[in-house]
Amino acid sequence: MTFACVFPGQGSQSLGMLSALSDAHPQVREAFEEASDALGSDLWNLAQNGPEEDLNRTEMTQPAMLAAGVAAWRVWQASGGRTPAILAGHSLGEYTALVCAGALAFGNTVQLVAERGRLMQGAVAPGEGAMAAILGLDDGQVMDICARAAQGGVVEAVNFNSPGQVVIAGDTAAVDRAVALAAEVGARRSVKLPVSVPSHCRLMEDAAARLADRLADTAVTAPGIPVIHNVDASAHDAPDDIRAALAAQLHRPVRWVDSVRHMAAQGVSAIVELGPGRVLTGLNKRIDKGLGVICVQDPESLRQALDLVGA
């Protein structure tokens, strides 16, 4: 069976994440200790004990989720899991995929994503940016709503997560107008997301430029496993192309539907999500009902995933 492994981004974190997997596999704590040493902060204690508001701070969420994804990958490898044909990650998860593919060094990337979080948080004043999930409309309808709601401000479709689920981001007032318009045209549901940073829209352009400067000083090598990038649903080998994709990702949409369909077109018949939560597993099933999908976050789901794709 040809399969892919994918890694979640912000929003999948929770207090106590990977605790059961840690009890059975020392690789979890080892990965968190390595990340904590690089960051100078105890990420395992934060992930297990909080406080939750600190775990949900962007500059802490990102290194914690990176550590969680790398930990699950190391458990997968130590448990005899086969090497996937493709890796990918949603937003922040793309960094995890690149670490697991050998393109980025783990410790350096912990520091890099913490800086990414600080740049994102500083790009828009508190309360001035927002995101919302629009459910039950097609992509074109959502983009039309954003165009009508902008009124000189910024609101854009930024996460094409699955058919009928698109996340928008931008100025708070413009996002609120778009949510109201979505209801008028028949959206099944529109949900403001509990975030303070309007990710993947052009309000992040200045942050992306600063991140590009940081990436220019970051060692990048060709990945040992192809990694599908969010911005163009394609794999890149050249270090400068990888740097450019990571910088562009900050202010351009996450094309998750295209990414999953690209993997399927490459012969992938199952996708294993490595890390806390089941967000991507749900999206992947909606994108392609023929895919085998599973999330590895505890010993039982690990066993099921190994059975699904073969150890």
Side-chain angles (χ1 to χ4, degrees):
M1 173 184 285
T2 300
F3 74 102
C5 288
V6 299
F7 302 91
Q10 280 185 253
S12 289
Q13 74 275 5
S14 62
L15 291 182
M17 61 184 183
L18 300 190
S19 59
L21 200 64
S22 173
D23 290 342
H25 298 277
Q27 293 82 11
V28 175
R29 289 294 296 271
E30 290 166 2
F32 270 87
E33 287 168 7
E34 189 176 336
S36 297
D37 288 344
L39 192 64
S41 182
D42 189 343
L43 287 171
W44 181 252
N45 182 63
L46 176 64
Q48 299 307 301
N49 303 311
E52 190 170 21
E53 57 267 27
D54 287 353
L55 178 62
N56 290 338
R57 282 169 40 218
T58 300
E59 66 270 25
M60 298 306 292
T61 307
Q62 297 201 28
M65 283 299 297
L66 173 67
V70 170
W73 170 253
R74 290 180 178 179
V75 169
W76 177 260
Q77 291 181 305
S79 301
R82 293 191 298 117
T83 300
I86 295 175
L87 298 175
H90 191 286
S91 190
L92 168 75
E94 187 170 295
Y95 289 80
T96 314
L98 288 164
V99 169
C100 296
L104 294 173
F106 183 30
N108 290 344
T109 308
V110 170
Q111 298 169 356
L112 175 64
V113 299
E115 178 65 12
R116 179 179 183 264
R118 287 190 288 270
L119 291 171
M120 292 168 68
Q121 194 67 60
V124 178
E128 294 186 5
M131 301 182 76
I134 309 297
L135 308 180
L137 300 180
D138 65 36
D139 296 353
Q141 288 176 296
V142 175
M143 289 186 282
D144 178 65
I145 285 167
C146 288
R148 292 164 55 197
Q151 297 180 20
V154 173
V155 58
E156 299 168 359
V158 297
N159 291 358
F160 295 94
N161 283 337
S162 70
Q165 184 188 128
V166 180
V167 173
I168 63 174
D171 299 311
T172 299
V175 170
D176 287 342
R177 288 192 294 269
V179 166
L181 282 172
E184 290 177 12
V185 302
R188 188 171 75 251
R189 191 179 176 205
S190 298
V191 184
K192 288 281 289 291
L193 302 180
V195 298
S196 58
V197 176
S199 303
H200 306 295
C201 73
R202 66 177 183 267
L203 295 178
M204 291 289 116
E205 285 179 347
D206 287 346
R210 293 173 183 269
L211 181 63
D213 291 340
R214 179 74 158 74
L215 285 163
D217 296 326
T218 299
V220 181
T221 59
I225 304 169
V227 174
I228 306 302
H229 290 268
N230 291 176
V231 293
D232 56 8
S234 298
H236 300 286
D237 288 327
D240 281 346
D241 291 343
I242 293 171
R243 292 186 182 98
L246 289 174
Q249 185 220 63
L250 204 56
H251 67 95
R252 287 172 54 188
V254 172
R255 301 194 174 279
W256 193 251
V257 173
D258 291 343
S259 297
V260 172
R261 288 176 175 165
H262 175 83
M263 289 187 261
Q266 298 301 305
V268 166
S269 58
I271 299 182
V272 178
E273 180 180 3
L274 294 173
R278 297 181 49 84
V279 171
L280 298 184
T281 298
L283 297 178
N284 299 341
K285 191 64 176 178
R286 287 196 288 275
I287 294 167
D288 187 335
K289 291 180 171 56
L291 289 170
V293 297
I294 194 166
C295 175
V296 172
Q297 56 184 331
D298 55 33
E300 177 57 21
S301 57
L302 173 62
R303 184 193 63 75
Q304 293 172 352
L306 291 169
D307 287 345
L308 174 66
V309 302

